[in-house]
Amino acid sequence: MDYRAIEAKWQKAWDEARVYEVEPNEKKGMLVTAAFPYVNAPQHMGHLRTYGTADAYARYKRMRGMNVLYPMGFHATGTPIIAFSKRISANDQELIDELKTFYHVSDENISKMKDPVFIANYFSNEVEAGMKLAGYGIDWRRKLISIEPIFSKLIEWQFSKLKERGYIVQGSHPVGWCPNENNAVGQHDTKHDLQPEIDTVTAVKFREKGAGTVFACATYRPETIYGVTNIFVNDKISYVLAKMGGESYYLSKDAASSLGYQFQISIEKEISGAELLGKSVVNPANGEEIPVFPGYFVDGTIGTGVVMSVPSHAPFDYVALERLRPAGYDITTDRYKKLIQIDNPSDPDAATAKIPALFYLQKINADASSPDDKIDEATKLVYKEEAHFGKMLVGKYSGMPEVTARDRIRDDLIASRDAFNVYTISNDEPVFCRCGYRIVVKIVDNQWFINYGDPAWKDAARQGLSSLEVFPAKYKSTFEKVIEWINLRAAEREQGLGTRFPLNPGHIIESLSDSTIYMSYYTFIHIIRGNGVAAEQLKPELFDYVLNGNGSIKTASKATGIDTLVIQKCRDSFEYWYGFSSRHSGPDLLWNHLTMYLFNHVTIFDRKFWPSQVIMNGSVNYEGQKMSKSIGNVIPLVDALARYGADPIRFVSVAGAELDTDTDFSADSCGGVTTRVDMLHKYIIGLADMKSKELGHLDYWLYSKLHSKIAAATQSMDRLEIKAAYTEIFYSSINELKWYMDRGGNNEIVVREFIEAVTLMLSPVMPHVAEEFWQMLGKSGLVVKEEWPASNEQMINRQEDTIESVIMDTIADVNNTMALTSKIDVNKNKKVSEVKIIIADDWKLKAYNALAKSRSIGSAMSNDFGAGKAVVSLYLKQFAKNLNGMQELPNIGSETLQKAFVEASDYLSTRFGCKVVVESEKTTKSQRASRALPDKPAIDLEWK
RNA sequence: GCAGGGAUAGCAAAGCCUGGCCAAAUGCGGCGGAUUUAGGGUCCGUUCCCUUAGGGGUUCGAGAGUUCGAAUCUCUCUCCCUGCACCA
């Protein structure tokens, strides 16, 4: 099969027939959308999953009688493309090499990529071309890109609606920040793509005895303040005296500069850490006076550069004090206060430990001389155990679980102005911007948010969810959780491509917030373009009318200068398509995009236009591994298409695994598909040598398989169980056809009908191959325009199924028996010369079914089966072990079964390589005849 | 830490909701054989253990329970994965 040739051929045929350019008609409309791709790279195999699944589903629904629209757009807003262009401008060799060798981008185009808009256009064209090569049934007239002016008009309208409803609010919040480039940084802005994690720590104020200058100790565990024996500064680094919020602080020099992004700080003078030693400070919790000691482990770049020492519960503090003891910094261990009681059922010793820090150090065989990572391990262990099992022993919240007390004590300290919160980057390792500077936390003031925490809005979202079909269904509960959890979300950004934020035109609308209702645009954007409407004409009145039915056509027309007929067409189109919409994406987008999509829809649109379905699919692995640049196994889609052919790739990535699991793409899995396509191809060619004739058992069997297959596949497809559907449609069909032919089946009309139905069902996933087959089958139209086959229940014949499976089982039994008996000494040097197959008498079936029904040998025996009581009783006894497991068998008479075996005897004879004789239990002379069961003929082998 | 998902034969994966037709689909891989037989491809058989007539034994992360009967239901434990935001 020359995939490239048939792909080109049928893609051209589809284009010419404009089969995917759809308009409203008398059928029910359905809009299938997939999250539009971000165009900072060409697409790779991984993209295929979502777009391929959406395409297959769209094609399936079309065949099921719906008028389906599958449009596509491109996402280019936000910062990654900007970052990309900066790297090109900076002549980043790594990126340039990747583009050249991997994606085959020309030097000329690379040089143009200093311009971010060029990047967006270049890659959106690439992606579009790839999607066309993959054969997606997309209505390209409706293509949009999120940085074009008419897109912005919709987004501006959307934000005006959110503002009207009071969902746009202002506040301050912390962000990861590069002090060099002066902007917020996310994961893709950092070295090694680390996500800067922001955490809050409590800075507790220990005031210097006499002077009142503050040592602010940053801590995750304010509840341990009752056990502070001293505080630590690093005597090897620089500190400053600084004014902050009306008080004077000693802070490490580094901390003072990074905290400057969170607080107003003015530095008064620089001093060395050593100068701070010997001072004494007051513990705000209990008024105790404690000394300032040198702490070798204090990192000036973390927190405030000052830490409090709780040797009883913090292994680092314990170790530091042990090490300081010889230098004369001596605090006797009887002053170490145990603050938290641990009652860990699996470790009773923890409860009696006097100094938990020491206890856990010893538990992992560490002591004061151990390396830092060992002490770190002990620290984590203490934290974990105390959080799990700890109860407070001292202070106001004595008796309370440690974690609860922690929050109360922190709140109390803050209320009494003895502490304040500090944000910190909490990653295990320092996070650096791509420019090389270390990331700090900045508090951004007057930041605009979308308030997804609004209770009324959340309620509406819950209602939206209740009428939403979620596939796979298990994600519905996740969806509920996310609705609960989602809260304020920044709506604007300083940098990036996109739509200007109306309330602060110097900023850009945050790039996930501008992609929550754009799907509605697909329903009419081609009408706007087709009528030469300019972006400036897209006034709110237009969207009010088209999307909400508010106002009137006249006012909309007057405000925009657009013809009333055009506006009406837009409104009609929107109403037609948006009544049933299906959204495809990955489950990772549940936590942001999909939930924001739901929230925005329920507040902006009328209920009948709320989302109908959300479908989430897993990703694509390559040869068992996650695709990633670092492994170097990301395959550009265009390369893969050329190598394996579009349909095999589509099949593997879309139908190779169930929706919620990752598919594994490999040369082997593709090869498996292509060899089977070739087999089907051969069978179609073979039709020419067949003739139609009267139907026999085997023909009815194949029909039965076909119709139960159609029923099963249809049900699976309706549930988006694509793998299950295509295992039936593709793999099983081929096995059945093969079996049918091997068994001597050659009835043309049966095979033809079978293959026709299979071809139809194959077309959503392998549309090119299906078209080719359809043509070979002598059909004139396009298969994409055909209907999905219907299952005729009357053709599902359990009798024929059972007869055939009895034959299959018998073959396995004979093989097995031959193998076993060949080991018998008497059979050495002999061969099986004849296989006798003995069909059970009719009474055995009746007796079996009577027993299966009554589950009691006694009551079954009360019937007269026309055989001697003793014989019947002996026969039924063999089932006694498993009475409850018995299932009634279909009513197949001995004669019918015998006839089927006789018809099969030529085939059986070639399988076994010897003569095959079929006899009935009544007339045979075989000693083994009594072993015959209704669904298991007796076997008698003759060795010669 | 918080929240969610998972553990099935060499690997991947279905089955679990609705217990019995489950030694457990399917696909890869392995092994043996065939094909005028280098390899590859294709085809046939086999792939938990035992078995001198189609049989038996032990399995579905571990343990306990419910039931005539558990991969499937309940409880406990162990281990793994994902997400935790302003970022596409």
Side-chain angles (χ1 to χ4, degrees):
Chain A
M1 180 84 46
D2 181 350
Y3 287 99
R4 300 216 89 173
I6 63 165
E7 284 158 19
K9 172 178 164 188
W10 295 108
Q11 284 165 17
K12 187 158 165 266
W14 295 331
D15 275 353
E16 282 167 2
R18 299 180 174 273
V19 283
Y20 307 116
E21 295 183 4
V22 287
E23 289 298 329
N25 62 19
E26 68 293 342
K27 291 181 184 169
K28 188 169 188 251
M30 176 180 189
L31 174 64
V32 173
T33 65
F36 55 7
Y38 191 80
V39 283
N40 64 342
Q43 64 196 332
H44 53 75
M45 281 293 307
H47 290 101
L48 212 69
R49 186 77 192 274
T50 302
Y51 304 118
T53 302
D55 185 56
Y57 190 56
R59 289 171 180 277
Y60 169 70
K61 284 292 187 183
R62 193 172 291 137
M63 293 184 86
R64 290 299 304 279
M66 297 185 90
N67 186 20
V68 181
L69 168 59
Y70 182 29
M72 188 55 64
F74 301 101
H75 199 200
T77 52
T79 51
I81 286 179
I82 298 271
F84 190 112
S85 71
K86 278 188 190 161
R87 287 176 70 187
I88 296 289
S89 298
N91 208 21
D92 182 327
Q93 216 46 50
E94 194 186 326
L95 178 62
I96 290 171
D97 286 349
E98 182 189 318
L99 290 169
K100 269 191 191 161
T101 59
F102 202 61
Y103 293 122
H104 321 299
V105 184
S106 71
D107 286 335
E108 193 194 340
N109 282 326
I110 290 177
S111 69
K112 288 186 192 156
M113 285 181 178
K114 289 168 185 157
D115 172 15
V117 175
F118 179 82
I119 297 173
N121 289 329
Y122 179 86
F123 287 127
S124 62
N125 288 332
E126 283 281 299
V127 173
E128 179 177 343
M131 287 179 165
K132 284 176 174 164
L133 286 175
Y136 295 149
I138 291 169
D139 184 347
W140 286 108
R141 297 173 306 160
R142 302 166 191 258
K143 176 174 84 166
L144 49 80
I145 182 160
S146 66
I147 51 172
E148 60 184 320
I150 68 170
F151 187 91
S152 291
K153 289 294 167 188
L154 173 74
I155 306 310
E156 284 165 14
W157 176 81
Q158 174 196 356
F159 272 75
S160 73
K161 295 289 131 186
L162 295 180
K163 182 78 177 100
E164 267 172 33
R165 287 155 177 71
Y167 295 150
I168 307 280
V169 298
Q170 209 169 17
S172 64
H173 82 132
V175 293
W177 189 264
C178 172
N180 180 41
E181 297 187 331
N182 263 316
N183 60 268
V185 287
Q187 188 167 358
H188 56 265
D189 303 313
T190 64
K191 284 196 175 158
H192 313 300
D193 283 340
L194 285 171
Q195 171 70 46
E197 286 166 30
I198 296 171
D199 218 340
T200 50
V201 292
T202 309
V204 183
K205 299 181 192 173
F206 288 75
R207 293 181 175 85
E208 187 181 353
K209 177 86 173 166
T213 312
V214 181
F215 286 83
C217 302
T219 177
Y220 281 106
R221 307 189 69 194
E223 73 281 9
T224 61
I225 188 172
Y226 297 100
V228 176
T229 56
N230 62 286
I231 63 177
F232 285 120
V233 296
N234 191 331
D235 54 331
K236 305 282 193 297
I237 63 172
S238 298
Y239 282 75
V240 294
L241 181 65
K243 267 255 188 305
M244 183 166 92
E247 288 188 278
S248 291
Y249 288 81
Y250 290 119
L251 300 167
S252 67
K253 197 178 165 192
D254 289 331
S257 77
S258 64
L259 288 176
Y261 292 91
Q262 293 181 43
F263 306 100
Q264 282 284 337
I265 293 180
S266 58
I267 294 170
E268 308 207 316
K269 68 168 179 175
E270 192 168 326
I271 46 175
S272 73
E275 285 177 71
L276 300 173
L277 302 179
K279 292 182 185 290
S280 57
V281 297
V282 176
N283 182 337
N286 54 20
E288 275 179 29
E289 198 178 314
I290 54 173
V292 178
F293 281 3
Y296 70 96
F297 59 91
V298 175
D299 184 341
T301 65
I302 296 175
T304 53
V306 185
V307 299
M308 60 190 210
S309 165
V310 187
S312 49
H313 291 277
F316 266 107
D317 298 341
Y318 180 87
V319 167
L321 287 178
E322 283 300 305
R323 293 183 187 175
L324 282 171
R325 222 179 281 284
Y329 295 99
D330 199 3
I331 291 173
T332 54
T333 51
D334 55 7
R335 290 181 54 198
Y336 294 6
K337 272 182 247 163
K338 183 173 173 180
L339 312 169
I340 296 155
Q341 177 68 32
I342 299 170
D343 290 310
N344 180 355
S346 64
D347 186 0
D349 292 343
T352 54
K354 271 188 73 184
I355 302 173
L358 176 60
F359 174 81
Y360 284 102
L361 278 166
Q362 286 169 342
K363 189 163 175 171
I364 60 162
N365 295 317
D367 61 24
S369 64
S370 299
D372 280 3
D373 59 333
K374 206 72 180 154
I375 300 163
D376 199 42
E377 190 188 331
T379 305
K380 287 193 171 132
L381 197 57
V382 179
Y383 275 32
K384 196 175 147 190
E385 294 272 305
E386 292 185 342
H388 256 119
F389 308 108
K391 282 208 164 59
M392 292 301 292
L393 288 171
V394 297
K396 205 165 138 191
Y397 300 108
S398 182
M400 190 176 275
E402 190 234 5
V403 279
T404 324
R406 175 184 303 168
D407 292 346
R408 300 282 187 89
I409 290 169
R410 181 199 59 212
D411 294 346
D412 287 352
L413 287 168
I414 290 173
S416 64
R417 299 178 158 277
D418 289 317
F420 56 96
N421 278 333
V422 172
Y423 291 107
T424 171
I425 301 283
S426 66
N427 301 57
D428 288 338
E429 46 190 306
V431 182
F432 294 96
C433 179
R434 281 190 194 276
C435 76
Y437 274 66
R438 188 160 169 184
I439 304 299
V440 299
V441 181
K442 178 181 165 74
I443 293 179
V444 179
D445 289 317
N446 302 321
Q447 160 86 36
W448 289 98
F449 294 92
I450 300 175
N451 184 14
Y452 292 113
D454 185 282
W457 200 2
K458 275 189 195 288
D459 265 344
R462 278 185 211 102
Q463 286 178 40
L465 180 62
S466 71
S467 60
L468 181 69
E469 272 189 287
V470 177
F471 297 99
K474 69 175 180 185
Y475 286 126
K476 190 139 189 174
S477 62
T478 312
F479 230 134
E480 283 164 14
K481 293 266 162 35
V482 180
I483 290 174
E484 294 312 308
W485 160 87
I486 195 168
N487 198 357
L488 294 175
R489 188 180 172 98
E492 52 164 341
R493 254 202 100 122
E494 294 206 12
Q495 291 201 339
L497 298 177
T499 303
R500 293 189 177 283
F501 188 74
L503 297 164
N504 182 0
H507 282 192
I508 298 294
I509 289 177
E510 184 275 319
S511 56
L512 286 188
S513 303
D514 75 9
S515 56
T516 58
I517 65 159
Y518 71 93
M519 319 82 204
S520 61
Y521 225 169
Y522 290 132
T523 63
F524 63 95
I525 196 167
H526 65 306
I527 300 172
I528 289 182
R529 285 199 213 285
N531 286 281
V533 176
E536 304 76 58
Q537 289 176 273
L538 301 175
K539 300 279 197 272
E541 288 84 351
L542 177 79
F543 297 112
D544 281 343
Y545 183 77
V546 173
L547 296 176
N548 284 159
N550 285 342
S552 70
I553 290 202
K554 282 208 176 115
T555 47
S557 178
K558 208 168 162 193
T560 61
I562 303 171
D563 192 275
T564 53
L565 286 174
V566 173
I567 298 176
Q568 190 56 50
K569 204 174 166 204
C570 289
R571 172 66 182 168
D572 291 347
S573 189
F574 169 76
E575 283 192 287
Y576 176 80
W577 293 113
Y578 227 53
F580 190 78
S581 63
S582 181
R583 179 115 185 110
H584 289 250
S585 117
D588 49 326
L589 295 189
L590 249 171
W591 281 267
N592 43 57
H593 167 71
L594 287 171
T595 298
M596 292 159 71
Y597 161 74
L598 181 63
F599 268 83
N600 279 275
H601 273 75
V602 298
T603 192
I604 287 177
F605 295 107
D606 290 343
R607 188 177 288 256
K608 61 184 167 185
F609 302 123
W610 287 3
S612 318
Q613 299 184 322
V614 163
I615 295 161
M616 289 161 275
N617 51 260
S619 56
V620 181
N621 291 342
Y622 181 65
E623 304 281 3
Q625 279 186 307
K626 253 205 158 41
M627 275 196 253
S628 85
K629 278 186 190 159
S630 56
I631 305 173
N633 64 351
V634 181
I635 309 183
L637 177 66
V638 180
D639 292 2
L641 288 172
R643 207 178 318 160
Y644 303 104
D647 283 355
I649 292 176
R650 291 173 60 114
F651 191 94
V652 170
S653 58
V654 171
E658 286 302 353
L659 199 58
D660 56 335
T661 52
D662 294 347
T663 44
D664 188 32
F665 181 83
S666 64
D668 282 338
S669 51
C670 260
V673 174
T674 48
T675 55
R676 285 173 177 84
V677 169
D678 289 344
M679 286 168 80
L680 264 179
H681 188 236
K682 261 203 316 236
Y683 290 139
I684 294 173
I685 293 169
L687 278 171
D689 301 327
M690 289 186 194
K691 289 203 167 59
S692 297
K693 54 188 165 191
E694 203 182 327
L695 302 178
H697 152 71
L698 208 52
D699 301 317
Y700 284 119
W701 173 80
L702 194 63
Y703 271 131
S704 178
K705 285 289 164 199
L706 174 62
H707 286 273
S708 53
K709 172 194 316 295
I710 294 170
T714 306
Q715 189 183 53
S716 294
M717 283 305 279
D718 285 340
R719 297 175 181 170
L720 272 299
E721 291 163 358
I722 302 178
K723 159 106 187 246
Y726 278 89
T727 301
E728 272 298 327
I729 294 168
F730 191 53
Y731 292 98
S732 309
S733 294
I734 287 163
N735 287 340
E736 285 149 8
L737 265 179
K738 213 158 96 51
W739 176 259
Y740 173 88
M741 311 261 192
D742 285 353
R743 284 272 279 106
N746 59 359
N747 200 338
E748 192 208 340
I749 184 165
V750 181
V751 177
R752 182 174 289 278
E753 276 184 37
F754 189 94
I755 294 179
E756 278 178 15
V758 168
T759 301
L760 286 169
M761 292 191 287
L762 231 33
S763 76
V765 175
M766 299 212 269
H768 311 90
V769 167
E771 292 290 3
E772 187 68 15
F773 285 178
W774 198 242
Q775 190 183 48
M776 289 176 70
L777 288 163
K779 306 286 184 179
S780 54
L782 290 168
V783 78
V784 293
K785 294 192 158 180
E786 292 294 327
E787 276 181 27
W788 186 260
S791 168
N792 180 350
E793 204 155 321
Q794 281 166 345
M795 298 298 280
I796 300 174
N797 190 328
R798 214 184 139 207
Q799 258 206 9
E800 306 295 356
D801 289 350
T802 306
I803 290 173
E804 205 54 25
S805 64
V806 169
I807 293 175
M808 291 178 189
D809 291 348
T810 304
I811 292 171
D813 278 349
V814 170
N815 282 335
N816 188 12
T817 311
M818 279 185 177
L820 283 173
T821 52
S822 67
K823 294 181 195 158
I824 304 174
D825 281 344
V826 266
N827 292 336
K828 286 255 167 77
N829 308 318
K830 286 188 185 172
K831 278 185 136 184
V832 175
S833 60
E834 183 180 296
V835 173
K836 216 171 264 165
I837 291 169
I838 302 137
I839 309 296
D841 278 348
D842 272 326
W843 67 265
K844 285 189 166 173
L845 177 67
K846 291 189 195 116
Y848 185 95
N849 281 348
L851 183 59
K853 206 170 199 173
S854 66
R855 304 217 187 290
S856 146
I857 293 185
S859 54
M861 287 293 293
S862 64
N863 299 298
D864 178 13
F865 300 110
K869 283 264 177 206
V871 181
V872 176
S873 147
L874 195 66
Y875 165 71
L876 288 181
K877 265 185 197 158
Q878 65 185 308
F879 306 115
K881 270 181 294 181
N882 185 26
L883 280 183
N884 289 304
M886 290 177 76
Q887 305 274 323
E888 282 190 67
L889 295 167
N891 197 12
I892 300 165
S894 299
E895 268 182 49
T896 312
L897 189 59
Q898 188 165 351
K899 193 168 159 247
F901 266 94
V902 169
E903 279 174 7
S905 57
D906 282 352
Y907 171 68
L908 296 175
S909 164
T910 51
R911 285 288 296 249
F912 302 145
C914 67
K915 195 177 162 197
V916 171
V917 177
V918 183
E919 297 178 341
S920 75
E921 186 176 356
K922 225 174 277 167
T923 57
T924 184
K925 295 197 179 87
S926 167
Q927 300 288 303
R928 306 190 59 81
S930 67
R931 297 183 67 102
L933 301 179
D935 59 345
K936 209 174 171 74
I939 300 163
D940 197 351
L941 305 183
E942 195 169 301
W943 292 81
K944 260 187 191 153

